[in-house]
Amino acid sequence: MKNIALRNILISLVFFAYSCSADFDPPGKLGDEPRIMAMVASPPEGQTGEHVTLTLHLYDPSGALKTRWLRCIPFPGQPVTLCPSTYMDFLGMQTPPPCSPDMLAPCVVRDSGDASDSGRSVDTELPPVPEDNGRYTVYYYALSTAASDPVAACTGFLSSPPVPDPGCMVGVKRVIVTDGPSNYNPVIWSILIDSVPSGDSSRLLPGRYSVSPALLAGSLDELGPKEPVFYPVEWFTDCGKMSSYRQDMKCYYNDSGAVQCDFDAPKLEIPETDDASGERTCRLDAVMWDNLGGVDIKEVLIRVVARK
Amino acid sequence: MPVLIALLLMGADASGIPEGFTPPKLIETVPVQYPAQARKRRISGMVRLHVLIDEKGKVVEVTVVKSPDPDLARAASEAVSKFTFEPARIKGRPVRVKIPMDIPFILRQNPRSTKGPEGRAPPGQDSPSSDASPSGAQAVRDATTVQKAAGLSDKNSIKSDSYAGNSSADASGTPSESGDTASSDTGTSASDSTSPFDATTASSDTKNSEEQTSDGQPEEIVVRSSRVKQGTTTYTITMDDALRLPGIQGDPLKAVQAMPGVARSPFGIGMLVVRGSSPRDTRYYIEGHNVPLIYHFLALTLFLNDNFLKSIDFLPGNFSPEFGRLSGGVVNVRLKRLKRRKHGEASADLWGVMGFWQQPVGSGVMAIALRRSYVDTLLRGLRSWVGLPIDMAPFYYDGQIMYERPLVGGLLTFMGFGSYDSLQLLSDGSEPYRTAFGKALALWKRTWDWGTVTASAASGPVSMRLEQEDQLSYGFDVWQNTMRLDVRAGAFHAGFDGEISSISGWFRLSGRGGDTDSESDPTDPFGNKDFTLDSLVTAAAIHGEYEMRWGRLSLVPGLRADLYHTEGYTLINLDPRLRTSWRLSQKWDLEGGVGLYTQEPEIQFMQEWLTHNQDIGWEHSLHTSAGIKGRWGRRAILRSTLFYKYIWDIITLSDAQADDGHRELFKNQGLGRAYGIEIMGKFALFHPNVPLVTKTSGWVSYTLMRAERKEDDKTDWHVYAYDQTHILTVFFTADLVGGWSLGLRFRYTTGNPFSPPEGSIYSGDTGTYVPVYGTERFTRRMDPFHQLDIRVDRTWTFETWKLSAYLDIQNTYNHRSSELVIYNFDYSRYDTVKGMPLFPSVGVKGVW
C-alpha cells in the first residue's frame, strides 16, 4: 500500500505543483456545446414502491436533443449486461483513489430499464428490494442525442464493453432504495449577487460581482452537531467569466446552534454588452450536491445593461 | 617441474587452483618508503608487482608490471623483496608461486602542489579521499593489509573477495583510498571497474584459468580471486565522479535513472520502471535492507549524505537469490567504510544546506550529517515579492549518524538515519502532506580464511500522512524490522533474511454525512468512509547459490525459499535461478541468466474486506537475459544485453462474483511481458598530451524495448503505461586544467503511451465525468522527451581545505517536454503538462 499511496500522492502533488492548467474551457462556461448541468432525483432516496421523479437539467442551445432513460439494478447473481459502470474500472491513474469508488459499484443488471421512460423528466416507481439487506442502489441512465431514437443512437454505450457514440451524452444518477429514513435534496432558495438575493431578472451593469448560493438551512439534513460537512457547488453561466466554477461550501453548527456555511464566493466578471440595444439577458446557474445523492439546481436570469 | 602459480587478483577463476593448494602467507614486512623525489613532485598512484616466492617463502624475483613513476616502482620493489612469506603448498609440498601485489602510494592532498610535473593533476590526486597519513608509506599499513592486498591467506580467501577490496583503482586509472574502494560485497572487482559506472557480471570476472607452460619455466596457473556476484548484469555507480554528473544535482542515486533498462519517469520523481516492471516492483536497499523511502519529496534529493556512500549497485534483473520478494530490479546502496581521520564538509545549493563531520572516537570512527532545506523560504519569497502563483512549498530535513569500530575480529557499523518531509500550503501554512522516516542499522562483518560472514539488522518507522482540512485523511504507519545473515565461502554464498513489520493504514473521508453502514463498503460512493487496516507481516527466506566452473564456463545455480505471513494469508514460494558466463577471450565475455522472481501482494490486497478474494497470492515473473561484454583495460567497457521478462498473476481489478456474494474486487489475473536490448558503452581516458584537458570520461546508455500488459481475459495485450521504445542517455565529462571540469548530459526517450477516453459518463451524484475507454488501450503517445544539461565545476584548493562550486543548467535549449496528459472536464479534449523549462542551479561545497 505504501508504494501505491506514495506514487499516487506524488503524482497528484506534482500535478498541482506544476500548476498544470491547459487552455480548456471551464466546465461551467456555457457556449455552443450542449452540456449536462445536473441530474436530480426527487427524492434522492426512497422506499420500495415510492415514486421518484428524475430530471435531467440539460443546456441545449440547439434545442434538438432528445432524452431516453434506462434503469440498471445491481443484483448479485444476475448476468452482467447493459451496465456501463461495470466497465469503468480501468481508471488507473486517471482517477485519484478517493474518487475511484464512485463508479466501481458491482453492476449486475436485473432490469435493463423501461423504454417508455423518455423525456427530460420521468416519474418512476422504485422497484422491490432484491435482497433482504434493506438498502440497495438503482442506476438511472439518461441518454441524450439529437437522433430520433436515443437508445439506438447510443448502443455503443450499452454494448459490452461500452464504446461511446459521438453526439451521445450519457448521465447516470443513483437512487438509494432503503427501508430506513431517507435523505432529501438540499434547497438553494436564491443566488446572492453581491450579497443581494437575485430575482429572475436582475439587472446588472458590466462589472465584477461576488456570487454565492443562499441555502434553506433545514435542507441540510446530513449536517450533524459535530463535524462540518462540505458541499460542492458548481456554477454555470453564459454571462461572463467566473473566477472559480467549483468549490466546496463548509457548513456546520456554530456556537449559537445555528447553521453556518463558509464559502469563498467566486467572482463573476460580466463584460460590456455588444448588443446593439445595450441590453442582453444571460443565465447563471448554481448546482449543489450533498454527499448522499441529493442535488439542487437554481437558475437566475440576469439582464445586463450597458453603462451609460 | 615446479609449479608457478600466478594469482591474478582481480579475476575470479577458482578452477585453475590445483587440488590441495595453500597460498603463501605473508609473515613479515618492511615499511615501504615514499621516495622523497616522488613526494616532492606529488606523484602518487598504484604500483603493481609480480612477486615470485620460492619454496622457502623467500622473495626471489620482483617484476614491476605497472607504475606511475620509476621511483615508486623502485621503492616498492625494494621493500617487497624483503618481505617474508610462508611458502605456498600443494598437498603440503612447498611450491614456487608468482603473485601479483599492488602497493598504493597515496599522498595527502597538498593545496599548493596539486598539479603534476606538467601542470596537470596526476593520477591519484583526483581522489577526494586521499590518505591522511603524512607519509605515503602508510599506504601499506601492516602485514595484514599487504596480505589482503595480495589476495593471500589460503585457497578459500583467494577464491573469496578478500583482495578485491584493496585493488583500489577505478577505470580511470585513478587510484583511490584502499579502504574506501574495498568492494567486497559489491560483486565488483574494483580493478575491473570503469569509473564512474562499473558494469560487472555474475561470473564474467571468473574468467580464464589459463595454464601456461613456457620453455624451461615452471607451469604457470592463473588463479583469479573469485566470488559469487549479485546479478547477471550489475551496474555499479561509484561516488567520486557520479557526484559531478550534470543534471543530477549531486545526487548519485539519480544516476540510476539513466541506467539501461530504466524508463524515464514523469518529472523525474524517482520512480524506477525497470525492464517493463511496475515502479513498485523495484526496491531500494541500504546494505541489503529495504527502505521504503529514499528520496525527499518529489525526488528532490536522496536523504543520505553522499559521504556515507561507497557505491550504488543497480541490478535490473536476473539478480542473485539474496534479493527476493520482488520481481523488478534492485537498487542497493553500499555504505562507505569511514577513515580514521577528521573530515568535514559543508555545502549549500538552491534547495538547502548540509553539513558533515567525522572524527575518530575511541577505537572507532564517528560521523554525523545534517541537512535542512530552505527551498520553502525561497518559494515563499517568490510568491510574496515577485507574485508568482506558487501555492505549495516542500520542506525537509534529514540526519544520519554512523559509528564504526572493530568488534570480535570483524567490523561493526552502526548507522542511524531519518528524514522528515512536509508540503506546506503557502496560503494557510498547513501541512497536508507529511512523511517521516527513521531507521537504525547495525552491520557486523568478519572475514576468516574460509570466507566472510555478514550479519545485520535494521529497525525503524515510516509514516506518511495526507490530510485535507476535515475531509480527507489518508496515510500509513509502518514499523519495519529486517535482519540478514550472509555467508560467503569461496564459490558458495548462502544466507537468511527476515522481516517482522507492523503496518497500519487508514483512509477516511469525513464531512460527507451519511450513515455508518457505508463507511466500510468501498463500493458505496456515498457518505463518510473509514477504512483501516492493521497487519503484522512476518517473512523469512533462505537462499543459496554455488558457482561451478568448467574451464571458461561458469554456472551459478541458486535457490530462494520464501515464507510470508499476514493475517489470513500464508504464502510459500521457491524461486530457482541460474546464471552463467562464458569467457570468450581476454576482452569478451558472454553472460546470461534465467530465473523465477516472486513478489507478495501489497498489503491492501491482503484484506479480505476489500478484495473479497482469499486466494490472492504471489505475483510471479520469469527473468531471462543474455549478453556480451567487452573490456579494453581500464579505458572502455561495452556491454549489450538481450532480455525477456514474463510476468503473471499480476493483481488487477476484477468483476467476478466472490463466494460470499460480493464482487471480487481484485484477483491475480494480469499478465505482462517486456523484451528488448540494452547497450552500454563507457570510457575513461587520460590525455597527457592534450592541451587544457587532463581526462575525459563518459558513457552512452541505450535501450530498445517494449513492455506490454494484459489485465484479464477480456482485454488484449497492449503497451504498458511506462513503455518507452527508445531510451538514450549520454554523459560526457572533461576534466580541465586549473580545477575546472565540464559535463554534458543528453537524454532522449520515446513519449509515454496513454489512453485518451473515447467518451465519458456524467455522474449525477457528484457532477463530475467518468471516462470511458475503448477496447484498445494506450493507443497514443506523448511527444518524445529530449533534454541537454550542462554542468561546470570549479575547485579551489587551499592549505587545509578545498572549495568547489558548480553551475548546473538543465534543459539548456528549453525544450518543454510533455510529462503528463490532462483532460478537460468531460474528457473530450486533452493536453499535456509541460516539464521543467531551462533551469539553472548553483551550489558550493567546502571540504576540509
Side-chain angles (χ1 to χ4, degrees), chain A residues 1 94 172-173 222 246, chain B residues 512 604 764-766 773 822:
Chain A
M1 181 180 72
Q94 307 292 343
V172 59
K173 181 76 186 76
E222 64 187 306
R246 186 180 176 106
Chain B
R512 304 180 79 204
Q604 72 271 23
D765 300 318
T766 62
Y773 298 95
I822 55 174

Side-chain angles (χ1 to χ4, degrees), chain A residues 49-195:
Chain A
E50 194 174 335
H51 281 254
V52 170
T53 300
L54 289 134
T55 304
L56 176 69
H57 292 268
L58 202 61
Y59 172 68
D60 180 13
S62 67
L65 295 181
K66 297 180 176 61
T67 298
R68 178 66 55 89
W69 289 83
L70 295 177
R71 185 173 68 192
C72 293
I73 303 172
F75 186 44
Q78 296 294 310
V80 177
T81 56
L82 293 181
C83 192
S85 71
T86 304
Y87 304 98
M88 291 179 196
D89 50 14
F90 296 126
L91 302 180
M93 302 296 291
Q94 307 292 343
T95 305
C99 304
S100 58
D102 182 39
M103 298 300 290
L104 286 179
C107 193
V108 182
V109 174
R110 187 182 66 164
D111 179 358
S112 63
D114 181 355
S116 66
D117 290 337
S118 60
R120 302 284 168 79
S121 184
V122 294
D123 182 74
T124 182
E125 182 180 312
L126 293 178
V129 175
E131 281 190 330
D132 188 22
N133 58 8
R135 181 183 172 91
Y136 70 102
T137 306
V138 180
Y139 293 71
Y140 288 95
Y141 286 88
L143 314 177
S144 295
T145 177
S148 58
D149 184 352
V151 173
C154 300
T155 52
F157 262 114
L158 305 177
S159 62
S160 174
V163 179
D165 298 294
C168 186
M169 292 194 300
V170 177
V172 59
K173 181 76 186 76
R174 306 180 205 212
V175 175
I176 304 296
V177 182
T178 174
D179 294 337
S182 299
N183 174 45
Y184 46 89
N185 289 318
V187 177
I188 305 173
W189 66 269
S190 181
I191 292 177
L192 305 180
I193 299 179
D194 276 353
S195 302

Side-chain angles (χ1 to χ4, degrees), chain B residues 306-329:
Chain B
D306 57 75
N307 280 286
F308 293 108
L309 308 184
K310 179 173 70 180
S311 62
I312 298 171
D313 294 339
F314 170 58
L315 300 93
N318 284 113
F319 39 84
S320 117
E322 68 181 287
F323 294 105
R325 288 169 51 203
L326 80 167
S327 59

Side-chain angles (χ1 to χ4, degrees), chain A residues 225-287:
Chain A
K226 295 178 180 176
E227 286 188 339
V229 174
F230 295 84
Y231 297 93
V233 176
E234 189 162 311
W235 298 91
F236 295 89
T237 186
D238 58 357
C239 291
K241 187 178 176 184
M242 296 282 292
S243 61
S244 170
Y245 285 87
R246 186 180 176 106
Q247 72 236 89
D248 284 349
M249 175 180 285
K250 179 182 178 182
C251 296
Y252 53 93
Y253 284 100
N254 61 22
D255 294 339
S256 60
V259 173
Q260 180 172 334
C261 292
D262 298 336
F263 190 63
D264 187 10
K267 301 293 188 293
L268 171 63
E269 184 86 41
I270 300 178
E272 293 286 348
T273 177
D274 294 330
D275 196 289
S277 66
E279 184 172 318
R280 65 185 173 93
T281 301
C282 61
R283 61 188 289 178
L284 176 65
D285 294 78
V287 184

Side-chain angles (χ1 to χ4, degrees), chain B residues 32-44 69 71-72 105-108 110 113 115 125 133-138:
Chain B
V32 182
Q33 299 298 327
Y34 211 116
Q37 278 296 320
R39 184 185 300 168
K40 185 177 178 182
R41 289 184 287 141
R42 308 296 300 172
I43 296 175
S44 61
D69 181 78
D71 287 345
L72 298 186
F105 287 83
I106 303 171
L107 282 171
R108 180 203 294 271
N110 186 330
S113 57
K115 296 176 180 176
Q125 295 191 13
S133 166
S135 165
Q138 273 203 15

